[in-house]
Amino acid sequence: EVQLVESGGRLVQPGGSLRLSCAASGFSLSRYSMNWVRQAPGKGLEWVSYISSSSDTIHSADSVMGRFTISRDNAKNSLYLQMNSLRAEDTAVYYCARMDNYGFDYWGQGTLVTVSS
Amino acid sequence: QSALTQPASVSGSPGQSITISCTGTSSDVERYNLVSWYQQHPGKVPKLMIYEVTKRPSGVSNRFSGSKSGNTASLTISGLQAEDEADYYCCSYAGSYWVFGGGTKVTVL
């Protein structure tokens, strides 16, 4: 069974940093591209960042470019999102999502990041 | 990286068919046959319903179908059921990023 489990979300002050993790199981992480997608409270979905299976291609949304960095460790079956210079508007549930055929076919349960003083 | 445009809400009676539109631009929906659709029930995780404009993942009911014309993609739900009441989001690849629609709330009357 495919499982994605995010962790690392918490309350952080504006300007602070946070590292999210996503533990994958039930499939070979090294075969799939992965993404982070976020959802602000009561709002819609927003794609955040993409990383190819071998980490040779990375894309990020303009809204997080230069502040967030996606990475992965296939040996540890893990995906990461390093978030720096956090802003109030980054408050959201962050989902890691597997990509297959350009669709997000499996999602984790999400981890809540709250940016507030 | 502007969001795709979806109607805020669509409603229908049980058994009816409804269609949700998703309008993009020549840089995303029109250029790539890589539109996907997601269903999200309140408090739940999004679920992939359609990928590559028309394809259904294994396990998704054939009451859900996708199409595209120009810069507008559409999701049709036929034989509407109470369990279909949820938020629906379209998403398109746009070359070096992905863009979601704002979401459509489907209400079963």
Side-chain angles (χ1 to χ4, degrees), chain B residues 39-56:
Chain B
Q39 176 192 64
Q40 187 178 33
H41 288 106
K44 301 298 186 181
V45 174
K47 176 185 177 183
L48 177 65
M49 305 301 285
I50 296 287
Y51 67 98
E52 292 181 356
V53 179
T54 62
K55 299 177 181 178
R56 272 189 315 275

Side-chain angles (χ1 to χ4, degrees), chain A residues 39 47 59 62 101 104 107, chain B residues 1 38 40 45 52 96-97:
Chain A
Q39 187 169 33
W47 171 78
H59 297 306
D62 287 348
N101 297 312
F104 306 106
W107 299 62
Chain B
Q1 297 185 358
Y38 302 86
Q40 187 178 33
V45 174
E52 292 181 356
S96 60
Y97 63 94

Side-chain angles (χ1 to χ4, degrees), chain A residues 8-20 38 48 63-64 66-69 81-92 94 112-117:
Chain A
R10 62 173 174 86
L11 173 64
V12 61
Q13 291 190 337
S17 297
L18 209 54
R19 189 194 197 202
L20 305 184
R38 69 184 180 183
V48 173
S63 58
V64 306
R67 301 187 300 122
F68 291 10
T69 302
L81 186 67
Q82 177 66 42
M83 309 164 68
N84 298 331
S85 302
L86 282 160
R87 306 166 180 167
E89 54 264 37
D90 295 320
T91 293
Y94 284 74
L112 177 63
V113 173
T114 303
V115 184
S116 175
S117 55

